[in-house]
Amino acid sequence: MARAYDVEAIERKWQRLWEEEGTYQVDNDDPRDKYYALCMYPYPSGAAHQGHVRNYTFGDLAVRYQTMQGKAVLSPFGFDSFGLPAENAAIKTGTHPRVFTEARMAELKSSLIRLGAVYDWRREIWSHDPEYIKWNQVIFLKLWEAGLAYRQKAPVNWCPGCQTVLANEQVLADGTCERSGDLVERRELEQWFFRITAYADELLEALDDLDWPEKVKVMQRNWIGRSEGAEFDLVVEGNEDLKLRVFTTRPDTSFGMTYAVIAPEHPLLDALTTDPHRKEVEQLRQRASHETDIERMSEGDPAALGKRGAFTGTSVLNPFNGQPVPLYVADYVLMGYGTGAIMAVPAEDERDWAFATLHKLPIVRTVQPPEGWEAEGGGAYTGDGVKINSGFMDGLDISTAKARAIDWLEEQGIGERKINYRLRDWLVSRQRFWGCPIPAVYCDDHGVVPVPEDQLPVLAPDDVEFLPTGQSPLVNSEEFLLTTCPIDGGPATRETDTLDTFVDSSWYFLRFCDPWNKEQPFAPIAAQHWMPVDQYIGGIEHAILHLLYARFYTRALIDVGLADGVPREPFKRYLAQGLIRLDGSKMSKSKGNLISPEHYYETVGADGLRLFHLFVGPPFDDMDWSDQTDQLIEGCGKFLDRLWRACTEVVPAREGPEALSDADGGIRRVVHRTIADVTRDLERWSYNTAVAHCMELLNALQRYAREDVGVHQEVWSEALGALLRLLAPLTPHVTAELWEHLWPGDPSVHLQRWPEYDPELVRQDTVTMVIQVNGKLRDRVEVDADISESDAEAVALASEKVAAVLNGGSPRRVVVRPPKLVNVVV
RNA sequence: GCGGGCGUGGCGGAAUUGGCAGACGCGCCGGGUUUAGGUCCCGGUCCCCGCAAGGGGGUGGAGGUUCGAAUCCUCUCGCCCGCACCA
């Protein structure tokens, strides 16, 4: 397509200029109000695809818009450059991950520059930079010292494909690895953990005040999984010294406990199993430990539930009524949650109901189900109702009964109120090479010892062999492995595990505030200045992992004294940008279904492509890249062509100072209305309607220019000036070029202030009043904007259309909403 | 199963608080410019009846609240996302 202007030349020209002049560099002592705009720093997978284009278009819009609003905008960029793909590539090709990674970084960086996205590149950080590694390790030591990092043997998720341990968050619902798709196994290993659970309550409560998508907040709430209830002891019948502790969220149902269940991994299982049942119990235990999560969770099938439980031969006493109930072992009870044992109340719990039915265990209702419940099939009733069969709780509602039951347990000294979380501590050890080494050494005499800060960073050596052995090359590197104990100087070995890359991304936004700091990860005063991030942008795939870790880490850094005075919530507003699908699946490097922007840079330019991404729909909606997409993009190119011609072609103008005609006044009102609309739209992320309003303005200007009398020069200039400024954050190159063309010598459009509207001109003198009969549109009348209620009614009743319907009669009722509407009810 | 969201022309999508449904764009139709195609310019385009004026219907479906519902409520169908034995 022939363009109205040389897209490529103009865009390159301005990109060079922004970089040379450092237009978007900001210093920490900048006196303007601060604004921190940030796109999630990317894993460098190579040249940008449309997903990146969309992401960085939104980010760049925020940077440029806020700059024009007079803010000092921090717009940094960096790379999440540690990670598995580079290491896998190294195993395959023998090329060092650094070489591989840095080549990908260069590709992505150049794509972004070509997109016209602007950053303060002086602040660029890479997670594999020795400087960054050092501060990462310093932070680790501080957390360790504060007890927020610890080492523990624990059953962990082991991915045989990746040959590493995974965080719970990286195991999918079907028990497979989110990255390789392999079935994850359980293993008992010594691993490093971060104590995120210490922050469970705060992380949960602080969600309420965040300006984040509700959906993401709900996901985090569910992930943290707070549940309130009670913990209490069940005494073993015939052995008063042996007690089994259980957790329940329904202490009100305690009278309905007809059996209890213990997890197969429970330490007391052995002691609680009687000899006649030992064989069966042992079988179940064996199977549970070997079964993958997938098999273990083949849920919904009651027969399976039956097979997966066995009687221990022991009975425990229900403390509420003193009755003995049988104790079962079943793998539907998890050792990792609560106490690893439950009281089972089949009448009010669906799983217990299924299990009880199968094992022919008694069922006692403690909540009166509604009328007809049994007739409709019965089953466990988990709804509201009145307590029955419950001794001192009879007649109470559920929530009162809960409180009463807990009070009773506390009075008896057998239990107490208890809050449990689903959230587990964050396992951060990874048996990989291409990550930040964990700064610890193992000494025979002193155990695990921190590497002193003055010996940091601990860096992995380069001359290692990348072999598909399933172990980190570090394990086979004597140079790395063998060291001395920091305490006694004796022989010691280094920790060969590296940190989960999510650790790197949990504080990079803080380092951006002060990336040059040689003394500390960042100066708290710098982070105080820029934080929180005012606008965070990135994919919703990080709704739980990254966003939760970063929220935790920021708090932890404050609490260990590395970030005094920094706000505890790092991301004030978060835009979860929609993903782009091609042929029904997400556009991504790993799927290989990419559409490169390069071709469009030649046809409609970065401006045209950016405009398309903004215009196609709301930024948080997913979009399908379809057959029609190229036509939409071309349409955006055409709009920019029309803009170009409107600004460059000679428009006949009237000479000399002259009173404004109606048309002149009208166009001014449209201009100011548009400023108001676009400003509001950009503030509320309604980028698509902002573009639409700009298109409408251009349409109006072209109609105005076509009129025979010629344009009023000042009105025309004001209009073009406003339109160019409104579009500057959206299509930065062409607007900069046209601004320079119209006002040579003036500072660039990007250095101009965002246009302001004149409220006088936005205010409407007359409006179209809608006249309805029985809620149906019948007529429209131009009326004064400040028309009175009685005048509005009179005007409406005077309408011919209304008169025709009334036919001489009088209306039953007239609803008057001046000046917009009158509804005549007959 | 639980939780959240969505459903509007041929398509992407608009519609501050319940108040003109379909802005803007794509596509399509017609016209102009052009040797021609493309570009560019003008006009039309929710559906039905009608030459028109005009009328009727219409926001997945069925009810309801209201003077008035795409918007609120109930039920229902369909799709998408998240979680999934968490006691």
Side-chain angles (χ1 to χ4, degrees), chain A residues 460-516:
Chain A
D462 278 358
D463 57 342
V464 295
E465 281 204 83
F466 296 95
L467 298 169
T469 58
Q471 274 188 313
S472 165
L474 289 179
V475 179
N476 300 315
S477 167
E478 290 201 353
E479 175 202 344
F480 178 79
L481 194 61
L482 301 181
T483 183
T484 52
C485 172
I487 298 173
D488 62 13
T493 56
R494 282 190 194 282
E495 168 70 83
T496 55
D497 284 355
T498 52
L499 288 172
D500 182 1
T501 56
F502 277 111
V503 176
D504 310 333
S505 56
S506 289
W507 68 283
Y508 75 101
F509 44 87
L510 292 162
R511 179 73 182 168
F512 274 145
C513 299
D514 191 20
W516 308 281

Side-chain angles (χ1 to χ4, degrees), chain A residues 346-619:
Chain A
E348 278 99 31
D349 182 284
E350 277 160 24
R351 265 162 321 151
D352 294 347
W353 178 282
F355 192 88
T357 312
L358 231 120
H359 291 262
K360 305 206 166 35
L361 292 156
I363 296 169
V364 177
R365 290 208 186 273
T366 74
V367 178
Q368 181 64 55
E371 196 92 12
W373 178 259
E374 305 296 348
E376 283 164 30
Y381 174 69
T382 56
D384 246 329
V386 173
K387 299 304 300 179
I388 53 171
N389 301 325
S390 294
F392 62 85
M393 288 182 273
D394 277 349
L396 299 178
D397 63 84
I398 290 175
S399 83
T400 312
K402 275 185 189 174
R404 194 68 60 82
I406 295 171
D407 288 347
W408 184 86
L409 285 167
E410 288 177 350
E411 282 161 24
Q412 303 292 311
I414 50 176
E416 68 239 345
R417 186 176 306 279
K418 172 81 184 180
I419 294 163
N420 261 319
Y421 298 91
R422 212 186 77 110
L423 184 70
R424 290 297 116 78
D425 274 341
W426 173 16
L427 194 165
V428 295
S429 305
R430 295 292 180 276
Q431 291 69 46
R432 305 301 307 199
F433 170 81
W434 189 235
C436 176
I438 295 175
V441 302
Y442 298 92
C443 162
D444 284 342
D445 296 328
H446 299 96
V448 52
V449 181
V451 175
E453 193 172 324
D454 59 14
Q455 291 173 28
L456 299 181
V458 174
L459 296 175
D462 278 358
D463 57 342
V464 295
E465 281 204 83
F466 296 95
L467 298 169
T469 58
Q471 274 188 313
S472 165
L474 289 179
V475 179
N476 300 315
S477 167
E478 290 201 353
E479 175 202 344
F480 178 79
L481 194 61
L482 301 181
T483 183
T484 52
C485 172
I487 298 173
D488 62 13
T493 56
R494 282 190 194 282
E495 168 70 83
T496 55
D497 284 355
T498 52
L499 288 172
D500 182 1
T501 56
F502 277 111
V503 176
D504 310 333
S505 56
S506 289
W507 68 283
Y508 75 101
F509 44 87
L510 292 162
R511 179 73 182 168
F512 274 145
C513 299
D514 191 20
W516 308 281
N517 201 314
K518 298 275 183 211
E519 311 300 321
Q520 51 191 334
F522 50 88
I525 194 166
Q528 283 166 25
H529 175 67
W530 292 111
M531 292 294 288
V533 174
D534 293 278
Q535 178 67 76
Y536 201 35
I537 302 175
I540 196 155
E541 66 271 21
H542 293 114
I544 296 175
L545 303 182
H546 164 59
L547 289 172
L548 191 64
Y549 292 151
R551 295 180 63 224
F552 153 64
Y553 222 61
T554 302
R555 289 170 165 82
L557 292 180
I558 295 165
D559 293 346
V560 301
L562 289 172
D564 285 336
V566 174
R568 293 178 81 79
E569 276 298 339
F571 314 123
K572 193 158 130 193
R573 292 173 99 197
Y574 163 50
L575 170 63
Q577 155 219 349
L579 57 81
I580 301 176
R581 279 184 301 254
L582 183 62
D583 303 325
S585 62
K586 179 187 173 179
M587 194 179 283
S588 74
K589 174 90 173 181
S590 54
K591 291 223 173 64
N593 56 345
L594 302 179
I595 300 280
S596 153
E598 297 301 325
H599 161 70
Y600 301 100
Y601 290 158
E602 288 165 21
T603 57
V604 298
D607 283 339
L609 187 59
R610 290 167 63 124
L611 194 64
F612 159 76
H613 279 285
L614 295 166
F615 183 53
V616 70

Side-chain angles (χ1 to χ4, degrees), chain A residues 122-350:
Chain A
R122 301 170 308 167
R123 294 177 185 258
E124 181 175 357
I125 57 182
W126 315 338
S127 28
H128 74 285
D129 182 337
E131 273 287 299
Y132 196 76
I133 291 172
K134 175 179 173 180
W135 299 120
N136 232 348
Q137 293 173 340
V138 166
I139 293 169
F140 180 90
L141 295 180
K142 282 275 186 189
L143 295 180
W144 186 1
E145 194 185 311
L148 290 173
Y150 64 94
R151 196 172 151 76
Q152 195 172 65
K153 189 160 195 171
V156 295
N157 308 299
W158 172 266
C159 172
C162 302
Q163 289 287 319
T164 187
V165 153
L166 303 176
N168 289 334
E169 288 84 340
Q170 289 164 323
V171 182
L172 301 180
D174 63 357
T176 61
C177 167
E178 68 160 4
R179 177 159 284 283
S180 73
D182 289 294
L183 263 183
V184 174
E185 300 166 3
R186 289 157 182 283
R187 288 197 182 177
E188 285 271 326
L189 291 174
E190 284 265 327
Q191 300 287 311
W192 288 96
F193 291 86
F194 283 163
R195 208 177 294 281
I196 189 172
T197 53
Y199 290 83
D201 242 340
E202 190 189 342
L203 290 171
L204 183 68
E205 274 168 27
L207 281 172
D208 296 342
D209 303 323
L210 290 182
D211 186 3
W212 284 19
E214 196 51 39
K215 178 190 180 135
V216 175
K217 295 207 268 185
V218 167
M219 283 164 74
Q220 292 215 350
R221 276 189 202 110
N222 292 342
W223 190 261
I224 294 168
R226 181 182 200 271
S227 51
E228 266 180 74
E231 232 179 67
F232 61 94
D233 290 326
L234 302 177
V235 172
V236 175
E237 188 183 31
N239 185 354
E240 307 287 303
D241 296 336
L242 204 48
K243 290 172 186 162
L244 180 64
R245 199 156 181 85
V246 295
F247 172 71
T248 180
T249 53
R250 292 292 305 273
D252 64 291
T253 63
S254 300
F255 281 89
M257 170 185 1
T258 53
Y259 65 100
V261 190
I262 182 170
E265 302 88 354
H266 200 289
L268 287 180
L269 178 57
D270 236 13
L272 290 171
T273 304
T274 60
D275 287 336
H277 295 89
R278 199 167 296 283
K279 194 176 160 205
E280 209 184 333
V281 167
E282 188 54 28
Q283 270 177 0
L284 187 113
R285 207 175 59 80
Q286 284 293 325
R287 203 175 57 222
S289 72
H290 287 119
E291 264 178 348
T292 63
D293 280 354
I294 267 200
E295 291 160 324
R296 190 159 166 172
M297 293 195 314
S298 61
E299 168 233 355
D301 175 10
L305 257 180
K307 274 185 276 168
R308 294 181 350 229
F311 182 43
T312 59
T314 299
S315 288
V316 292
L317 299 176
N318 179 345
F320 284 78
N321 57 17
Q323 295 298 307
V325 297
L327 175 66
Y328 277 73
V329 57
D331 64 1
Y332 81 86
V333 171
L334 311 172
M335 194 56 226
Y337 185 77
T339 61
I342 61 163
M343 68 165 192
V345 184
E348 278 99 31
D349 182 284
E350 277 160 24

